[in-house]
Amino acid sequence: MNNDQTSAHASFSHGLWRNNPALIQLLGLCPLLAVSHYAVTAITLGLISLIVMVLANALISLLRPLMTDLIRLPLQIMVIASLVSMADLLLQALYFELHQRIGLFVALIVTNCAILGRAELMARRSNASAALMDGFSMGLGFFWVMCVMGMIREGLGRGTLFAEAGRLTGLPLADQGFRLLETPLQIMLFAPGAFFTLAFIIAGKNYLDQLNESKQADRVSQQTSR
Amino acid sequence: MKSALTLVAIGSLCALGLALLNDWTEPRVQRQAAEAKLRALARALPSTQEAVRPMPQGSENTTETFLSEKNGHPTGYLFSVQSPAGYNGMINAWLSVNLAGNIRRIYTFSHQETPGIGHIIEPHQPFVRQFEGINLLSDRLELRSKGGHIDAVTGATITSRAMVDALIRGRPTFLAANSHAKSVSQ
């Protein structure tokens, strides 16, 4: 029981941190860099990717008995593409203006290697619940990086946070969002800003990991010296 | 052979699911697209509290015409005007007039005039603001050099003339909208 819990915990932190699809595997960078200029669009795309990842992993895992080597890849892509198209249609029907902003990138989720990668590496080899869990952990890992990128870039590049969120999602939020800066750094909204932000997040993660490692090393050396 | 059949079966399932979902979403998407278009059009109006709705089209005029409203009361018409007489091709603008035909706002949405000179016809420029209040039908739409009251911009005479031309070409649209509104109210 205890062992099971730790392994579930390990596989969960796998996607969130240790093997994060965006920060370590560096997969799915196209939407990550292109849509993260506003917090609202970044969060939406991150959320759709998360949902597609969970469902794709679960479905592909369920289709395991049918999956021979010959048709493995077309089958996986077909499942992913159908799910993405469904998400695209639903977004267009429910949040039309949001779809106008990021519609192109929703369709591009099909080509997000992070999703096919999980299907290939994990889902087709494990049972449905493990695959579901894996998709959730990886999707959440991608989602939080999207959120952080979106908030940093909008905050610095536009000086606001969650601007237009109310209008685009129909939630009761102020149209101007929160005002953070009076003189924004516009470059953060453009492609270079996306790369800067991603670089800083990766650097920050590596720094935290190193700090953690050296702490553990200290603890080990203390124990051995005793 | 077996794997081919599997692929076909799952492919058909996916297609069926998508077709059903598309059936459900399509009318919603179309309705929202129409609403989004009207919201975008309302930006061409002078007041932010106004809304537009499409007017039924008469047979004699094919230009799409919209009725602008404030709190449910009609404030005028909105339609596009264009002139091929620009310095470098077509000039397209949204023209909003009140019910009597007085120009309320000209909102140019596409043109290929020389950058730096042609911007005089863009929204909020003094050149286009001077038209506001002028009656589309009864006032004389002509540049001052031809004896009218419109000030052309030096160095952009052709662009200025094209804007006037676009307005003159908008007269039939206004007449059609006006006669339609009268026939409805009678």
Side-chain angles (χ1 to χ4, degrees):
Chain A
M1 180 65 199
N2 198 15
N3 202 12
D4 263 13
Q5 264 178 353
T6 48
S7 83
H9 177 78
S11 81
F12 198 65
S13 74
H14 202 58
L16 276 183
W17 188 262
R18 271 193 303 120
N19 200 10
N20 186 297
L23 297 182
I24 298 298
Q25 304 173 38
L26 296 179
L27 292 175
L29 288 190
C30 165
L32 186 76
L33 297 172
V35 192
S36 60
H37 55 325
Y38 289 153
V40 191
T41 53
I43 290 172
T44 311
L45 203 85
L47 205 59
I48 297 175
S49 304
L50 166 66
I51 295 169
V52 168
M53 227 167 186
V54 171
L55 292 178
N57 260 14
L59 277 178
I60 286 166
S61 168
L62 288 176
L63 288 174
R64 265 175 307 155
L66 298 174
M67 217 168 284
T68 59
D69 262 357
L70 207 57
I71 57 165
R72 191 181 82 227
L73 283 172
L75 210 57
Q76 287 170 1
I77 281 291
M78 202 151 67
V79 169
I80 296 170
S82 308
L83 286 171
V84 170
S85 307
M86 287 180 184
D88 193 36
L89 286 174
L90 282 174
L91 183 72
Q92 202 177 6
L94 300 174
Y95 299 104
F96 184 78
E97 285 195 42
L98 197 53
H99 183 270
Q100 296 278 88
R101 298 285 181 85
I102 60 165
L104 174 67
F105 294 98
V106 175
L108 276 180
I109 294 177
V110 180
T111 62
N112 188 333
C113 335
I115 298 179
L116 183 65
R118 284 336 281 175
E120 237 337 71
L121 287 173
M122 173 75 194
R124 76 184 172 91
R125 292 180 188 149
S126 41
N127 62 26
S129 67
L132 199 99
M133 200 60 195
D134 179 75
F136 190 61
S137 134
M138 287 289 161
L140 217 55
F142 188 73
F143 175 70
W144 80 253
V145 178
M146 280 298 273
C147 292
V148 171
M149 290 268 298
M151 296 204 286
I152 292 178
R153 287 183 69 196
E154 189 186 326
L156 291 177
R158 204 165 180 252
T160 58
L161 208 51
F162 304 118
E164 296 179 273
R167 190 165 66 77
L168 292 177
T169 59
L171 295 171
L173 291 165
D175 206 38
Q176 275 309 301
F178 304 102
R179 189 109 208 123
L180 299 178
L181 293 176
E182 283 311 314
T183 47
L185 290 162
Q186 271 213 319
I187 193 169
M188 297 305 282
L189 293 182
F190 304 132
F195 284 101
F196 295 155
T197 316
L198 185 64
F200 274 111
I201 296 177
I202 292 178
K205 180 194 179 294
N206 286 347
Y207 176 74
L208 286 179
D209 281 349
Q210 272 178 7
L211 216 64
N212 229 349
E213 249 168 53
S214 65
K215 253 188 215 159
Q216 267 172 5
D218 275 358
R219 212 174 295 149
V220 170
S221 67
Q222 272 176 4
Q223 277 172 352
T224 48
S225 67
R226 238 180 250 159
Chain B
M1 188 59 203
K2 184 168 163 276
S3 45
L5 282 178
T6 316
L7 212 52
V8 167
I10 295 186
S12 329
L13 271 180
C14 291
L16 184 71
L18 279 174
L20 289 176
L21 190 66
N22 187 48
D23 254 17
W24 182 79
T25 53
E26 199 167 15
R28 281 167 182 76
V29 171
Q30 276 174 358
R31 199 181 58 224
Q32 294 201 53
E35 280 169 13
K37 187 184 168 195
L38 292 183
R39 268 199 302 278
L41 277 178
R43 266 179 243 143
L45 294 172
S47 153
T48 53
Q49 278 145 29
E50 285 178 70
V52 292
R53 66 183 170 87
M55 275 178 80
Q57 269 161 38
S59 50
E60 70 274 26
N61 196 311
T62 51
T63 310
E64 233 184 331
T65 311
F66 300 87
L67 193 68
S68 60
E69 291 176 325
K70 189 175 190 174
N71 306 327
H73 298 293
T75 53
Y77 309 107
L78 178 74
F79 48 87
S80 69
V81 292
Q82 51 271 315
S83 168
Y87 191 71
N88 202 6
M90 289 295 281
I91 291 176
N92 292 288
W94 290 109
L95 173 65
S96 103
V97 296
N98 68 10
L99 295 172
N102 292 334
I103 294 172
R104 302 177 69 208
R105 180 62 54 94
I106 299 170
Y107 193 96
T108 308
F109 63 87
S110 84
H111 70 81
Q112 281 99 40
E113 302 305 288
T114 316
I117 301 172
H119 75 278
I120 58 153
I121 55 170
E122 282 168 13
H124 313 301
Q125 292 293 323
F127 174 74
V128 289
R129 299 294 308 258
Q130 69 170 319
F131 289 96
E132 291 169 15
I134 292 179
N135 192 283
L136 191 60
L137 294 181
S138 55
D139 283 329
R140 191 169 166 200
L141 282 171
E142 202 125 43
L143 296 181
R144 208 174 276 283
S145 58
K146 294 251 182 78
H149 299 285
I150 310 295
D151 292 315
V153 173
T154 314
T157 323
I158 295 178
T159 307
S160 308
R161 202 184 298 148
M163 194 76 244
V164 175
D165 179 58
L167 294 177
I168 291 170
R169 284 167 191 267
R171 277 173 175 164
T173 315
F174 169 70
L175 283 174
N178 205 24
S179 70
H180 177 83
K182 280 209 180 96
S183 71
V184 167
S185 66
Q186 266 166 11

